[in-house]
C-alpha cells in the first residue's frame, strides 16, 4: 500500500503521541500509561525532546492530562469488554495505539478507527512496516469530515452492527467544532443501541483554567487560530451535561481533573497531575 505524498499524521495527533512517550521516558514510575507506539510510528529525529513543545517542565500538566484521559477511557473500555461489549469506535483516532498495546482485550472486540483518509493511510503503512499489521478485528474507517461524509454510514459499511451497543470516544476534538456540530455528534451517538456509551473531552473557558496552565492554553489557542483551525467551542461542566441530555442521553457524568488525579496520581512524590478546569471528560450513556 502506497500513501499519497501529502499523507501524514495531523500535527496535534503527533504531539499527543510524543507527550505520551515523554511521560514514559522522563516521568517517574508508576506510569499512568505505557505508550511508545506512537513514537515508533513517527520515528522522529533523535533530538525530538528538544522541540519547544516538548519542554519537560512546561508540558508537565498537559502530558499528565493526555495520559490521564487515555487511561480513564481505556479502563472504561476494558471494564465493558469484560461485561461483553464487543464494539469500540474511536472518532478522530489519530495515532491511538490501544489495538497494538492491548490486543488481549482488543482482539475480543471489533475496534473501529475513524479518521481522514490520508493520515489513516499513512498510519496503516507505518503499522505494516513495523510489523504490527492489521488484524481482522481492527477496522480502519476513512471518513472525509471536511466533505461532510457520514461517519455512521462509513462505520456500517465497515461492519459495525447497529443492533449492538458500543463505546464511542472522541478526544481533543470538541473545541474545534461549533456547538451545533457537537450537538449533532451527541445526537448521532445517542441514536446507537441502548447501553452504548460516549466518552468525549471538552475544553472549559480559558479564564477558568488554573493560573499555571492558562499561558499554555492561550498559546495553544493562538497557534490553532493561526493554523486555520481555531478553538470555537468551550463548555462549563453543567453546559456539557445539559447538552448531552438535551441530545438524547439518559445519563451523563462529568469526570473532573480532580477525579483523575485521585484515581491515577495519588501519592506521587513529583506532584505530576492534570490541570484543573482545562480539558475534562463527559461520559454519557444511551
Amino acid at each position: 500500500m502506497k500513501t499519497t505524498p501529502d499523507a501524514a499524521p495531523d500535527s496535534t495527533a503527533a504531539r499527543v503521541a510524543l507527550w505520551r512517550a515523554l511521560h514514559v521516558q522522563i516521568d517517574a514510575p508508576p506510569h499512568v500509561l505505557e505508550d511508545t507506539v506512537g513514537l515508533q510510528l513517527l520515528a522522529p529525529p533523535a533530538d525530538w525532546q528538544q522541540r519547544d513543545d516538548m519542554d519537560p517542565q512546561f508540558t508537565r500538566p498537559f502530558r499528565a492530562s493526555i495520559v490521564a484521559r487515555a487511561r480513564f477511557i481505556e479502563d472504561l473500555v476494558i471494564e465493558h469488554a469484560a461485561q461483553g461489549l464487543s464494539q469500540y469506535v474511536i472518532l478522530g483516532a489519530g495515532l491511538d495505539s490501544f489495538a497494538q498495546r492491548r490486543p488481549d482485550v482488543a482482539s475480543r472486540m471489533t475496534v473501529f478507527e475513524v479518521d481522514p483518509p490520508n493520515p489513516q493511510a499513512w498510519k496503516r503503512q507505518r503499522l505494516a512496516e513495523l510489523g504490527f499489521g492489521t488484524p481482522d478485528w481492527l477496522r480502519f474507517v476513512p471518513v472525509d469530515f471536511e466533505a461532510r461524509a457520514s461517519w455512521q454510514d462509513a462505520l456500517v459499511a465497515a461492519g459495525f452492527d447497529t443492533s449492538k451497543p458500543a463505546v464511542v470516544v472522541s478526544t481533543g476534538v470538541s473545541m474545534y467544532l461549533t456547538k451545533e456540530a457537537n450537538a449533532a455528534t451527541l445526537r448521532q451517538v445517542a441514536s446507537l443501541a441502548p447501553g452504548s456509551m460516549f466518552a468525549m473531552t471538552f475544553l472549559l473557558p480559558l479564564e477558568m483554567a488554573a493560573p499555571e496552565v492558562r499561558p499554555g492554553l492561550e498559546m495553544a489557542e493562538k497557534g490553532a487560530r493561526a493554523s486555520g483551525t481555531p478553538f470555537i467551542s468551550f463548555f462549563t461542566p453543567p453546559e456539557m451535561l445539559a447538552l448531552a441530555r438535551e441530545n438524547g442521553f439518559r445519563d451523563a457524568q462529568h469526570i473532573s481533573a480532580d477525579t483523575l488525579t485521585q484515581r491515577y496520581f495519588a501519592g506521587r512524590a513529583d506532584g505530576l497531575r492534570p490541570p484543573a478546569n482545562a480539558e475534562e471528560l463527559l461520559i454519557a450513556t444511551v
Side-chain angles (χ1 to χ4, degrees), residues 215-259:
L217 291 169
E218 290 172 347
M219 186 183 302
E221 190 277 333
K222 183 179 179 181
R225 193 165 4 103
S227 65
T229 53
F231 292 174
I232 298 172
S233 293
F234 304 87
F235 299 95
T236 65
E239 288 171 341
M240 191 76 257
L241 294 173
L243 194 67
R245 295 187 180 110
E246 289 165 6
N247 286 283
F249 287 94
R250 64 176 171 83
D251 180 65
Q253 294 178 285
H254 163 226
I255 307 299
S256 68
D258 285 342
T259 298

Side-chain angles (χ1 to χ4, degrees), residues 52-127:
D52 290 344
D53 59 355
M54 294 296 135
D55 178 83
Q57 189 61 32
F58 185 75
T59 64
R60 268 170 57 89
F62 303 111
R63 68 176 182 270
S65 180
I66 291 295
V67 297
R69 77 187 191 190
R71 173 65 182 275
F72 183 89
I73 288 170
E74 290 196 5
D75 285 353
L76 185 75
V77 171
I78 291 167
E79 175 189 348
H80 285 273
Q83 297 170 6
L85 183 116
S86 61
Q87 300 185 114
Y88 178 28
V89 179
I90 310 170
L91 299 178
L95 297 176
D96 188 274
S97 60
F98 177 73
Q100 289 74 48
R101 289 180 296 104
R102 295 303 308 269
D104 56 316
V105 179
S107 63
R108 303 199 307 269
M109 314 170 72
T110 306
V111 180
F112 299 88
E113 292 197 12
V114 181
D115 225 20
N118 282 351
Q120 191 170 83
W122 178 91
K123 181 179 181 181
R124 292 188 67 176
Q125 180 169 309
R126 288 295 293 141
L127 288 171

Side-chain angles (χ1 to χ4, degrees), residues 178-230:
T178 64
K179 180 178 179 181
E180 293 73 21
N182 278 300
T185 298
L186 286 163
R187 284 194 300 274
Q188 288 170 315
V189 179
S191 72
L192 299 178
S196 294
M197 299 187 71
F198 187 35
M200 68 174 283
T201 57
F202 62 98
L203 194 62
L204 277 69
L206 298 185
E207 61 269 18
M208 293 180 65
E212 67 271 16
V213 298
R214 192 178 304 167
L217 291 169
E218 290 172 347
M219 186 183 302
E221 190 277 333
K222 183 179 179 181
R225 193 165 4 103
S227 65
T229 53

